[in-house]
Amino acid sequence: MFITDAIRTGLPPHIAQVIAGHANINTTMGYNAVYPTETIEAHRAFISRRRSLRPAEEYRTPTDAEWEDFLGHFERRKLSVGTCARAYGTACIHEHACVRCSLLRPDPAQRSRLVEIRDNLLDRIAEAELEGWLGEIEGLRISLAGAESKIDQIDSAPGVTIDLGMPRKAAQPAQREGAGSLRQSRDDQQ
């Protein structure tokens, strides 16, 4: 009760630890009884303090247009080769050239599509080299590196299932020839 009362009235736990003679702070905190109502009250006080420091605008109800925009962001995250992890309200820095973007999380089911994209990029680079389109080559090589990176990301991902094998019954030791069961030896003695 002393530890609980001391900490509740403001004594820092590490000082209560020294007073109680505990070598470990976890021992002291084990004696500190925290009740659910205290936890809820502390959380509400924390939220009230936080809200008093923030602008009131942040806590208003969003308009229908704002809410639709928010929901639309999550609908637009699904892409042909995976999912975009870009945060709400941020612009796409790659101008939707997603294969270049580190925020694209590739879908393993779309690996063959990424291979097609990579092969197409290789063909386009060969054509650009043949035609002498140096500016085109540079951009295509960046996209090619991105496509290869996404394929590697899929290939290096750990498998979902792990075969732990089937449990087997331990083999019974073979009985020595001439040795019978315990019951049989008793029967033989009688």
Side-chain angles (χ1 to χ4, degrees):
M1 287 176 54
F2 166 75
I3 298 291
T4 300
D5 188 51
I7 292 175
R8 285 179 72 189
T9 56
L11 184 69
H14 68 282
I15 294 178
Q17 172 192 356
V18 173
I19 293 170
H22 297 147
N24 187 331
I25 190 75
N26 292 327
T27 304
T28 308
M29 294 310 291
Y31 285 101
N32 178 27
V34 178
Y35 304 101
T37 54
E38 292 174 25
T39 305
I40 293 167
E41 288 171 11
H43 182 260
R44 284 183 179 158
F46 168 77
I47 295 297
S48 294
R49 281 192 309 274
R50 186 174 185 278
R51 284 191 174 175
S52 69
L53 300 174
R54 311 283 304 172
E57 280 179 15
E58 292 183 6
Y59 298 102
R60 67 174 174 73
T61 303
T63 65
D64 289 340
E66 290 170 330
W67 187 248
E68 288 302 317
D69 181 50
F70 179 73
L71 293 177
H73 166 78
F74 294 101
E75 290 173 7
R76 291 187 299 272
R77 288 178 59 173
K78 185 69 178 158
L79 307 168
S80 64
V81 291
T83 304
C84 179
R86 184 169 43 95
Y88 172 70
T90 59
C92 179
I93 60 172
H94 292 105
E95 299 174 355
H96 303 286
C98 299
V99 77
R100 296 178 176 192
C101 186
S102 62
L103 296 177
L104 173 68
R105 299 293 174 247
D107 179 2
Q110 298 300 321
R111 186 183 187 287
S112 61
R113 185 174 171 88
L114 283 166
V115 169
E116 286 177 25
I117 291 170
R118 181 200 58 201
D119 294 346
N120 179 269
L121 287 165
L122 288 168
D123 293 342
R124 290 174 60 198
I125 289 170
E127 179 187 10
E129 287 173 342
L130 196 66
E131 298 294 332
W133 301 330
L134 300 181
E136 186 90 4
I137 293 170
E138 185 178 346
L140 291 170
R141 285 190 177 148
I142 292 170
S143 294
L144 176 63
E148 289 174 339
S149 170
K150 299 302 175 200
I151 293 169
D152 290 344
Q153 194 174 343
I154 290 171
D155 291 346
S156 66
V160 177
T161 57
I162 298 173
D163 182 18
L164 297 176
M166 290 297 295
R168 299 175 200 257
K169 204 173 190 180
Q172 297 295 325
Q175 288 187 344
R176 287 178 283 146
E177 194 172 312
S181 69
L182 184 59
R183 172 181 260 162
Q184 186 179 5
S185 358
R186 281 193 216 147
D187 291 343
D188 291 343
Q189 290 174 358
Q190 292 175 355

